[in-house]
Amino acid sequence: SQKIEQNSEALNIQEGKTATLTCNYTNYSPAYLQWYRQDPGRGPVFLLLIRENEKEKRKERLKVTFDTTLKQSLFHITASQPADSATYLCALPYGGSQGNLIFGKGTKLSVKP
Amino acid sequence: DVKVTQSSRYLVKRTGEKVFLECVQDMDHENMFWYRQDPGLGLRLIYFSYDVKMKEKGDIPEGYSVSREKKERFSLILESASTNQTSMYLCASIHSATNEKLFFGSGTQLSVL
């Protein structure tokens, strides 16, 4: 079965630096991969989707890459701010799709002023 | 914006009680999901539904049931609550045509004593 791993439970960085979070999966390459942000006590909020035929996608200070050879996605936040502190989850479709997603356990990002 | 509303943010119940968690979405989405989220285990799918009166088991359905009598409402039922069902419960919905981005509710933190 598909497994998805976010290899850092926590990441601490200084304000203004670039945060890079990693998501690896083990089996088949999915048609797309998603990233979500979750604040404490809240539900996840969708950030970005990248498809298997896209190498890179950007949205404001966010950049996502998708390497189907390495079975890996990287999520970058440039010029990070304390307000970016949150848990970031990656997710892949599985089980015949129709919205079924398997989620990684998340990486908790802390941006210090 | 899509709104997914969960009826309670916090709930405290006793072992053996029957518990109802309600979820309503306002965007006419066909597909709805119930997840639970526990520290170190991430998000796990309990049940999902593609249509009214239709339900499918997710990865951890034991001890739970669901009801979808109307398209906008998806209820999670704990027939006889147990302490190991203490968790954050998250409802989500998605449009079946786009099938890409999940919209989550704010979650219900359930404590079973």
Side-chain angles (χ1 to χ4, degrees):
Chain A
S1 61
Q2 183 73 283
K3 282 190 170 39
I4 182 168
E5 286 178 4
Q6 294 184 248
N7 57 1
S8 296
E9 275 194 31
L11 181 64
N12 298 312
I13 64 166
Q14 207 65 34
E15 183 175 7
K17 302 290 187 187
T18 295
T20 298
L21 284 63
T22 306
C23 176
N24 295 289
Y25 56 93
T26 55
N27 289 342
Y28 59 86
S29 274
Y32 58 85
L33 184 147
Q34 301 183 3
W35 285 89
Y36 288 77
R37 169 183 171 139
Q38 187 174 23
D39 292 289
R42 297 286 178 180
V45 174
F46 172 83
L47 293 175
L48 279 167
L49 178 151
I50 185 164
R51 300 187 190 284
E52 60 180 338
N53 60 350
E54 297 174 315
K55 290 255 186 325
E56 182 180 297
K57 199 153 201 181
R58 291 175 186 260
K59 179 182 173 184
E60 296 170 356
R61 294 183 295 110
L62 307 180
K63 183 178 91 171
V64 172
T65 63
F66 193 6
D67 188 326
T68 55
T69 304
L70 292 179
K71 298 189 177 182
Q72 182 181 80
S73 174
L74 298 179
F75 177 83
H76 306 272
I77 305 176
T78 58
S80 60
Q81 304 165 1
D84 295 325
S85 298
T87 295
Y88 292 87
L89 308 169
C90 66
L92 307 176
Y94 83 109
S97 189
Q98 288 196 307
N100 285 17
L101 296 177
I102 180 171
F103 284 84
K105 292 178 184 176
T107 296
K108 185 174 180 181
L109 174 67
S110 297
V111 181
K112 306 292 184 194
Chain B
D1 272 355
V2 174
K3 192 168 268 186
V4 179
T5 303
Q6 293 184 232
S7 52
S8 306
R9 288 298 308 279
Y10 301 97
L11 214 49
V12 180
K13 296 291 180 182
R14 298 216 172 269
T15 303
E17 278 192 77
K18 190 168 186 174
V19 181
F20 292 85
L21 301 183
E22 306 286 349
C23 175
V24 177
Q25 49 92 5
D26 66 358
M27 279 300 289
D28 204 34
H29 285 173
E30 292 83 3
N31 302 351
M32 296 187 74
F33 304 82
W34 274 105
Y35 289 89
R36 65 178 280 178
Q37 187 174 33
D38 301 286
L41 295 177
L43 278 158
R44 293 180 291 166
L45 182 63
I46 306 171
Y47 265 98
F48 57 99
S49 170
Y50 295 153
D51 204 348
V52 174
K53 297 205 186 289
M54 178 274 170
K55 62 185 178 187
E56 292 282 347
K57 292 180 180 178
D59 299 318
I60 51 163
E62 297 78 20
Y64 303 94
S65 63
V66 289
S67 172
R68 187 129 182 238
E69 295 296 318
K70 293 185 178 181
K71 190 175 185 180
E72 67 271 18
R73 187 179 295 270
F74 191 34
S75 303
L76 180 70
I77 304 155
L78 286 66
E79 296 290 342
S80 178
S82 63
T83 54
N84 63 11
Q85 291 178 310
T86 291
S87 186
M88 168 71 98
Y89 289 88
L90 289 158
C91 175
S93 72
I94 193 169
H95 194 291
S96 64
T98 60
N99 254 0
E100 288 178 354
K101 155 168 109 169
L102 275 179
F103 292 88
F104 282 89
S106 292
T108 296
Q109 180 62 53
L110 173 67
S111 297
V112 182
L113 307 177

